């Protein structure tokens, strides 16, 4: 079953996805479904002995290209629609014990190229209005599958947080004639206290309004809206700054740092979003090496985050852990 | 970048991306190894996405 149910109180869709678990045989205890299938071994999701990067449709998607009819009837109060869309899994590397942070910057660059291809292809589907690329990493946010991977949801609507950013960006442009994120970036560069790292094409910073202690945003220096707008140099620079931020994260507490990573790009509904500006946001759940930030009453029930740290101090902690990124092959990078 | 798309038994697509010439990683990352650590999938069904829930 999967369907979209309308929440009239909030004016947003909720996906319900319940999947029957039918299994006739069980995999071995140490089985990883994202590893390559070894010759003679138990078959994983990926039926080849090796690969660089793999994208595939999620076995239990909450959105799918040809969804079943909703299990409940819609009413005037409660519109219901089929859960149309696409849910993909992206396996970053065949190395089970790696992480995106531990991968060479060249592999991260390849991931950027794959992201771009997936964005282009999924955006072209007529039922897709927003392509959302993200990664959930770490047991702290409930991920128990350690093999490095991310996900893509191709939604049949523009999701509410993105809609909010679009509204704010549009209003800023109407009021000032300028791009909101270009202004934010210029302000961060001028101030400098919250900058974590930068190169010719991107800057990484803890936003002034950070909701999580180690929240980091990466924004393109050039005013562009999507991965598909980037030059080759910009894609390499994006890989470099991602590597920089990820390595700094891991050095913070000398552990593999958990996070949610989300890409915010223009919608794919055919509209004109020239006022929007590409960026990546990281939401790490850790406050300290052992303490989690919980989404408690104020955050969950009122939507106001309480951050008991200063963005300026957290940025300095991360900045102190920035190391040069080394490319094995000639080219740009920092 | 080359891509090769296949169809899995249940009809889902899977795309292999390969990068021959450019930027093949000369050395594996430090923490990577060929041996598999226990995947720590909580349910024997081993469904990667079924186990991913936001739980903060
Ligand atoms: Zn694995
Ligand atoms: Zn801009
Ligand atoms: Zn954003």
């Amino acid at each position: 079953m999967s369907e979209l149910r309308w929440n009239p109180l909030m004016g947003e869709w909720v996906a319900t996805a319940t999947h029957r678990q039918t299994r006739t045989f069980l995999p071995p205890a140490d089985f990883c479904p994202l590893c390559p299938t070894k010759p003679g071994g138990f078959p994983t999701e990926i039926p080849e002995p090796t690969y660089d990067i793999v994208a595939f449709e999620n076995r239990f998607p909450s959105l799918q290209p040809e969804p079943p009819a909703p299990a409940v009837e819609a009413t005037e109060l409660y519109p219901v629609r089929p859960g149309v869309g696409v849910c993909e899994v992206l396996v970053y590397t065949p190395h089970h014990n790696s992480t995106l942070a531990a991968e060479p910057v060249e592999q991260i660059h390849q991931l950027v190229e794959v992201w771009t291809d997936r964005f282009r292809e999924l955006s072209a589907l007529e039922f897709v209005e927003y392509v959302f690329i993200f990664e959930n990493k770490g047991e702290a946010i409930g991920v128990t599958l350690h093999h490095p991977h991310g996900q893509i949801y191709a939604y049949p609507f523009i999701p509410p947080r993105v809609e909010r950013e679009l509204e704010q960006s549009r209003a800023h442009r109407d009021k000032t004639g300028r791009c909101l994120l270009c202004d934010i970036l210029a302000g961060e560069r001028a101030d400098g206290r919250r900058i974590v790292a930068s190169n010719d094409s991107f800057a990484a910073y803890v936003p002034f309004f950070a909701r999580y202690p180690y929240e980091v945003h990466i924004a393109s220096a050039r005013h562009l809206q999507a991965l598909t707008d980037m030059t080759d140099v910009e894609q390499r620079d994006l890989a470099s700054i991602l590597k920089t931020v990820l390595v700094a994260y891991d050095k913070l507490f000398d552990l593999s740092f958990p996070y949610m990573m989300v890409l915010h790009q223009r919608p794919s509904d055919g509209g004109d979003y020239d006022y929007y500006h590409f960026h990546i946001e990281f939401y790490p759940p850790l406050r300290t090496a052992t303490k989690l930030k919980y989404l408690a009453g104020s955050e969950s029930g009122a939507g106001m985050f309480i951050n008991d740290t200063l963005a300026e101090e957290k940025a300095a902690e991360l900045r102190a852990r920035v190391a040069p990124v080394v490319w094995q092959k000639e080219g740009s990078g920092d | 970048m080359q891509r090769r798309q296949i169809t899995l038994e249940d009809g889902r697509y899977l795309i292999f991306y390969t990068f021959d010439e450019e930027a093949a990683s000369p050395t594996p990352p430090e923490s990577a190894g060929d041996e598999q650590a226990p995947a720590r999938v909580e349910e024997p069904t081993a469904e990667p996405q079924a186990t991913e829930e936001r739980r903060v």
Side-chain angles (χ1 to χ4, degrees), chain A residues 125-137:
Chain A
L125 297 173
E126 63 67 36
F127 53 83
V128 170
E129 296 201 348
Y130 195 84
V131 177
F132 184 61
I133 299 172
F134 66 102
E135 178 184 351
N136 297 330
K137 182 196 166 204

Side-chain angles (χ1 to χ4, degrees), chain A residues 165 264 276 279 281:
Chain A
E165 284 194 356
H264 280 167
Y276 198 52
H279 59 285
E281 302 186 5

Side-chain angles (χ1 to χ4, degrees), chain A residues 238-295:
Chain A
L238 179 56
S240 276
I241 203 154
L242 279 167
K243 175 81 179 171
T244 304
V245 169
L246 291 167
V247 168
Y249 270 159
D250 279 3
K251 281 192 200 160
L252 262 182
F253 305 126
D254 203 22
L255 53 79
S256 186
F257 201 66
Y259 56 76
M260 291 166 265
M261 172 179 70
V262 309
L263 275 64
H264 280 167
Q265 309 189 74
R266 67 157 167 265
S268 308
D269 63 349
D272 180 10
Y273 298 98
D274 186 43
Y275 52 83
Y276 198 52
H277 189 129
F278 174 92
H279 59 285
I280 296 178
E281 302 186 5
F282 286 89
Y283 317 131
L286 290 185
R287 297 163 58 220
T288 69
T290 53
K291 283 196 185 125
L292 286 173
K293 165 154 188 71
Y294 290 98
L295 300 194

Side-chain angles (χ1 to χ4, degrees), chain A residues 49-60:
Chain A
T50 189
Y51 52 80
D52 287 335
I53 295 177
V54 168
F56 62 88
E57 279 185 279
N58 196 314
R59 186 187 289 270
F60 295 110

